[in-house]
Amino acid sequence: MTEIIRINPINPEIRRVMEAAKVIKDGGTVAFPTETVYGLGANCFDKDACGRIFEIKGRPADNPLILHIPGQGWLGRVARDVDQRTLEFASKAWPGPITLVLKKNTDVPDIATAGLDTAAVRCPAHRIALELIEYSGVPIAAPSANISTKPSTTRFEHVVDDLDGKVDVIIDGGDATFGVESTIINMTTNPPVLLRPGAFTVEELEKYIGRISVPDTVNRTAAPDEVAIAPGMKYRHYAPDKKLVLASDGTILRGAAMLSGDMEEPLAILCSSETANTLKTTMKLRNISMIILGSEDNLYEVAKNLFDGFRALDETQAKLGLIQKFDERGIGLAIMNRISKATGNITIEKFGDLQSMLKQEA
Ligand code: AMP
Ligand code: MG
């Protein structure tokens, strides 16, 4: 049985937070909102409770969890030998959507870090999350609150769809603010290495800590035999059940919109409001579901709606989803990273390829 606890995200009702915190203390699992996406949390020092997170999600054992703390003061409970550079950075950037990979404290069980000698640590900028951790009295290990491979959950309703009946508590705390996960950076190297682009932009990061290394594989899914830069990043991720492909440019999108007139198989186009307006004025858009992600002038809006859009694709009649490219600056880098994982890097370069793919899916 899953208990739903509704909590006000602006001004959390303390008694309700304490009720959820007791579940964490007792070794249970709680799905809770953060400013990035919803997390599926358990006491990070309890290996059985951490094990349940993996079971519930169907998560591979080699994909480590992020450890959540309410402030820098708890760093020593999960990490060791943290250098001055990292402490200074954390004092400025936390709470916020930035996760630091640090040397692990041996109190943290191996299962939480997938056997690595490093731990990924974050202090979320969300009152419910912060108070839940404080009242639990322990750092909370939490990956995103979705079934493994599916898009992360950015709304309470998505969490219910994926986890109802599987977790002890789901907190209903409204929508996540950013809609994409935290940025992960490895602080055990010099310069620090970007492991996953996220809600905290690279441009912003460099203002704080100077140059960081951004591997060119950041927006490419590692091949199965390739060592992924961040464990877990080699898997197909964030993916809708329906096939999703990336349009290499506007010609493909316009072609698709035209094609809809004489193809029987319905198609979905995931795009910006600007692209939607252009397509609407020139095309009939028969047999097409338009899923509008937001304006290209505000990529934060696109980020916020991205996983929701992936989930919406599965609700349409479409046989296939076609998504447009976005500018890789700022939060756009995270957007394109999630798109490349969700599409498994399938980019449509030629219009004919889209037609044959659509027939295949029919
Ligand atoms: P999720 O919160 O579901 O996005 O999962 C957490 C992600 O954090 C994993 O998929 C890893 O990529 C990353 N992560 C966690 N711990 C480590 C670590 N020690 N080193 C590198 N990456 C990590
Ligand atoms: Mg995840």
Side-chain angles (χ1 to χ4, degrees):
M1 256 285 285
T2 298
E3 189 191 348
I4 307 290
I5 304 180
R6 192 183 184 129
I7 302 180
N8 182 335
I10 309 296
N11 194 8
E13 298 85 348
I14 296 307
R15 278 198 20 245
R16 297 189 190 168
V17 175
M18 288 173 81
E19 198 188 329
K22 183 166 186 311
V23 174
I24 297 276
K25 275 189 201 160
D26 291 346
T29 49
V30 174
F32 62 97
T34 81
E35 82 279 31
T36 56
V37 300
Y38 269 75
L40 168 54
N43 175 358
C44 88
F45 298 128
D46 181 335
K47 54 178 190 317
D48 295 333
C50 290
R52 224 157 295 133
I53 292 178
F54 286 87
E55 251 169 61
I56 290 168
K57 292 193 53 152
R59 183 176 177 99
D62 64 353
N63 192 359
L65 311 176
I66 292 176
L67 313 181
H68 294 75
I69 57 176
Q72 216 174 325
W74 285 30
L75 254 180
R77 298 180 73 180
V78 289
R80 67 181 165 85
D81 305 336
V82 182
D83 62 22
Q84 198 53 36
R85 166 193 73 162
T86 303
L87 290 175
E88 271 165 31
F89 175 49
S91 74
K92 290 180 195 142
W94 280 349
I98 175 84
T99 297
L100 307 178
V101 170
L102 306 166
K103 284 186 197 146
K104 161 182 137 81
N105 179 324
T106 46
D107 292 346
V108 178
D110 280 344
I111 185 167
T113 60
L116 298 170
D117 58 5
T118 53
V121 187
R122 171 162 112 86
C123 173
H126 194 288
R127 280 202 64 189
I128 295 178
L130 289 172
E131 291 189 9
L132 178 68
I133 308 165
E134 291 266 15
Y135 283 106
S136 300
V138 286
I140 294 184
S144 50
N146 52 280
I147 297 297
S148 216
T149 79
K150 282 204 165 201
S152 304
T153 46
T154 58
R155 299 170 183 271
F156 164 71
E157 293 76 17
H158 298 166
V159 185
V160 171
D161 288 344
D162 275 21
L163 303 180
D164 193 24
K166 300 188 170 102
V167 288
D168 297 314
V169 169
I170 300 176
I171 294 179
D172 175 359
D175 295 349
T177 320
F178 287 106
V180 288
E181 299 83 349
S182 62
T183 301
I184 306 180
I185 178 167
N186 186 353
M187 295 303 288
T188 68
T189 58
N190 201 357
V193 179
L194 179 74
L195 300 180
R196 174 177 78 183
F200 202 103
T201 66
V202 170
E203 292 85 340
E204 221 176 323
L205 262 175
E206 290 193 322
K207 273 189 222 150
Y208 285 106
I209 45 176
R211 194 179 78 80
I212 60 165
S213 162
V214 180
D216 61 5
T217 51
V218 149
N219 276 353
R220 190 171 62 78
T221 309
D225 57 348
E226 198 176 339
V227 178
I229 51 162
M233 296 300 276
K234 66 173 183 262
Y235 300 109
R236 182 165 184 246
H237 242 103
Y238 318 115
D241 294 331
K242 290 191 178 154
K243 189 169 204 160
L244 179 70
V245 295
L246 178 66
S248 63
D249 59 25
T251 329
I252 303 288
L253 292 163
R254 285 192 293 279
M258 232 133 62
L259 157 100
S260 66
D262 41 55
M263 290 282 286
E264 284 315 309
E265 294 81 5
L267 177 78
I269 293 182
L270 290 82
C271 64
S272 65
S273 44
E274 290 85 354
T275 303
N277 286 339
T278 323
L279 295 180
K280 273 180 197 155
T281 52
T282 51
M283 319 287 163
K284 282 218 179 71
L285 300 182
R286 194 172 78 88
N287 253 348
I288 290 195
S289 311
M290 296 293 268
I291 298 175
I292 297 170
L293 300 171
S295 166
E296 279 165 47
D297 290 337
N298 181 8
L299 289 182
Y300 282 93
E301 188 185 1
V302 174
K304 186 167 180 169
N305 293 323
L306 189 67
F307 290 136
D308 205 17
F310 290 174
R311 284 176 183 258
L313 168 62
D314 287 333
E315 306 294 315
T316 67
Q317 299 298 311
K319 299 288 180 213
L320 186 85
L322 179 68
I323 189 165
Q324 80 165 70
K325 276 191 177 162
F326 290 91
D327 194 342
E328 288 197 339
R329 265 178 309 165
I331 201 163
L333 187 67
I335 293 172
M336 286 309 296
N337 169 271
R338 304 310 185 267
I339 292 175
S340 74
K341 301 268 185 282
T343 57
N345 279 318
I346 303 175
T347 305
I348 300 293
E349 312 270 358
K350 291 201 307 280
F351 184 57
D353 294 348
L354 180 71
Q355 281 175 303
S356 39
M357 214 173 258
L358 202 46
K359 274 195 197 114
Q360 254 171 39
E361 298 297 316

